[in-house]
Amino acid sequence: MEESGCFEVYASMKRLKDKIAKKLNISENLSGEIVFERAKKNQKEVEPIIEEFAKNLAEGIANIVNIFEPEAICIGGSYTYHTDILEEKVKKALKEVKTYNNQMPEITLAQFQNDSGIIGATLL
């Protein structure tokens, strides 16, 4: 069945974790750390899921670029903990998407990883 919905349906880390857990036939209730460790051990099996995630994330980023024209995009959250299996696929996917001016802004990782949102909120 084809999924539809917001960007989060296609490119959230929770959704990626759940898809990997389902593919590896392990509980979706396990921590992301455990699920991604198993994904690393079974990379060939989960590669299509990671490639789909990377493509969806790249499309979402291209949409953000086309709408807001940012100079840079910073990716945070639990993504920053799993760059070893995600980053190369996402970089490749970003090269394949098109933006209105055929340019992608600088893409960086959040320095404070998953704590960036909390730190930013406390500074308000």
Side-chain angles (χ1 to χ4, degrees):
M1 182 170 139
E2 184 72 23
E3 297 176 10
S4 65
C6 64
F7 183 45
E8 187 175 11
V9 169
Y10 301 100
S12 73
M13 290 300 293
K14 178 179 179 353
R15 187 67 159 198
L16 176 61
K17 178 191 88 104
D18 291 348
K19 283 184 168 186
I20 290 172
K22 185 175 181 180
K23 178 70 174 178
L24 297 178
N25 201 26
I26 57 178
S27 172
E28 293 175 9
N29 295 325
L30 291 173
S31 73
E33 184 177 354
I34 293 170
V35 172
F36 282 98
E37 281 302 316
R38 300 245 180 109
K40 289 176 200 174
K41 292 176 183 175
N42 298 283
Q43 274 190 309
K44 292 281 187 205
E45 197 172 344
V46 299
E47 190 169 332
I49 295 168
I50 293 172
E51 286 178 353
E52 178 185 33
F53 168 83
K55 180 183 172 210
N56 291 338
L57 180 60
E59 288 287 341
I61 289 172
N63 286 331
I64 291 168
V65 169
N66 287 333
I67 295 167
F68 297 108
E69 300 179 33
E71 293 180 18
I73 293 178
C74 185
I75 301 175
S78 58
Y79 176 93
T80 61
Y81 300 130
H82 308 294
T83 56
D84 52 341
I85 63 171
L86 298 174
E87 192 167 29
E88 288 306 313
K89 299 228 184 289
V90 171
K91 283 182 180 180
K92 180 182 176 208
L94 284 167
K95 289 178 183 175
E96 295 172 1
V97 295
K98 300 293 182 210
T99 59
Y100 73 97
N101 63 1
N102 292 322
Q103 292 184 340
M104 191 60 69
E106 178 183 5
I107 309 284
T108 62
L109 295 177
Q111 180 180 357
F112 297 109
Q113 298 176 309
N114 205 26
D115 294 335
S116 297
I118 288 175
I119 292 169
T122 59
L123 293 174
L124 289 175

